[in-house]
Amino acid sequence: MPTVTQAVSNPNIILAGYLAGATDYIPIAQKLQSKNLSATVVPLKWWDWVPTVGGRSIAPILKKLDQTVNQELEKSGASKVNIIAHSAGGWLSRIYLGDRPYYDKVWNARSKVAKLVCLGTPQRSLEPWSLPNLGFVNDNYPDAFYDDIEYICVAGNAVQGKKSTPKKWLAYSSYELTIGQGDVWGDGIIPIEAAYLDGAKNMAIDGVYHSPRSGKWYGSQEVVDIWAEYL
């Protein structure tokens, strides 16, 4: 009988958000593994982000991401990975895909990536300290830039910003910093419209907050069940 070769599924690489380490994301990897999906968290500590504070180069994080991607490709025998990135990790991954110099380094990882799943990512922002990097991303790789990569953008629809209570006030302030308007809906930190990319598969999930410390968030089981369908 002829030998049937089973296709190798893409490893899933999980990238933490700004000033976060790998620990909060290990449960997401475990949830994906329970679905028979390969999942590995980029081994970051929160202090790995310190050199990037204030709009400085995020190359130290890109280096860790690239090392993890290459290791998983070699280990699995797959030709591409999926990147699942929370918060700032999403726009950071858009730099990683790109073919233009970023601080004299061209990462050009497009050929290694099949899908980019962004969870609560501020794809644009008015915050002054975010402009050097986000400006570079959106000037060079606007929207769902590469046709051969599938972009999935997930937003949380949990809080409308208002000045009435502390939680809604925090949301209002964060939304206003991001898009210039506070009385919109989002995940308590990122407004829905800032989390979307034109040309991507965009979705907002009700009741989802930005952080695991807020309750139901992007890594909660019922939420993972929704976006994991696209892997």
Side-chain angles (χ1 to χ4, degrees):
M1 292 181 65
T3 301
V4 177
T5 301
Q6 186 174 2
V8 177
S9 61
N10 295 330
N12 295 288
I13 309 298
I14 302 170
L15 179 61
Y18 189 62
L19 290 178
T23 304
D24 286 334
Y25 300 85
I26 291 172
I28 299 179
Q30 293 169 337
K31 291 177 177 71
L32 293 178
Q33 289 161 1
S34 73
K35 298 174 178 291
N36 295 317
L37 296 169
S38 166
T40 302
V41 183
V42 177
L44 291 171
K45 304 294 186 182
W46 73 263
W47 54 83
D48 290 325
W49 293 88
V50 171
T52 76
V53 168
R56 296 180 179 88
S57 168
I58 46 82
I61 309 301
L62 292 173
K63 183 177 180 180
K64 292 267 191 177
L65 172 61
D66 190 52
Q67 288 171 344
T68 306
V69 167
N70 291 334
Q71 288 166 3
E72 290 305 306
L73 287 175
E74 183 177 358
K75 185 170 72 173
S76 68
S79 59
K80 294 190 176 186
V81 303
N82 303 322
I83 296 177
I84 301 162
H86 178 228
S87 196
W91 59 255
L92 186 154
S93 297
R94 291 165 62 201
I95 294 177
Y96 180 60
L97 300 176
D99 59 359
R100 294 166 194 177
Y102 173 78
Y103 286 92
D104 299 323
K105 169 77 172 178
V106 179
W107 295 93
N108 200 23
R110 172 186 178 188
S111 64
K112 303 177 186 178
V113 179
K115 300 179 181 183
L116 172 59
V117 181
C118 297
L119 307 175
T121 292
Q123 306 288 7
R124 59 188 179 88
S125 177
L126 300 175
E127 294 176 325
W129 52 88
S130 71
L131 292 179
N133 288 309
L134 263 177
F136 175 87
V137 176
N138 290 317
D139 287 345
N140 289 281
Y141 316 113
D143 307 321
F145 187 73
Y146 291 115
D147 292 340
D148 53 343
I149 292 174
E150 186 175 353
Y151 296 77
I152 299 103
C153 297
V154 184
N157 185 24
V159 185
Q160 183 181 22
K162 294 182 179 179
K163 297 181 179 180
S164 55
T165 66
K167 180 179 283 190
K168 292 182 178 180
W169 172 263
L170 173 62
Y172 183 97
S173 300
S174 183
Y175 300 164
E176 188 174 43
L177 274 173
T178 304
I179 61 169
Q181 183 178 354
D183 58 348
V184 295
W185 284 86
D187 64 12
I189 300 296
I190 305 302
I192 292 171
E193 65 179 85
Y196 286 173
L197 289 172
D198 287 347
K201 170 63 180 176
N202 296 311
M203 71 184 83
I205 304 176
D206 288 343
V208 171
Y209 287 87
H210 192 76
S211 166
R213 282 160 285 283
S214 298
K216 180 180 173 183
W217 80 298
Y218 299 100
S220 297
Q221 183 68 64
E222 63 268 38
V223 184
V224 174
D225 288 344
I226 295 171
W227 56 256
E229 291 293 320
Y230 296 90
L231 297 176

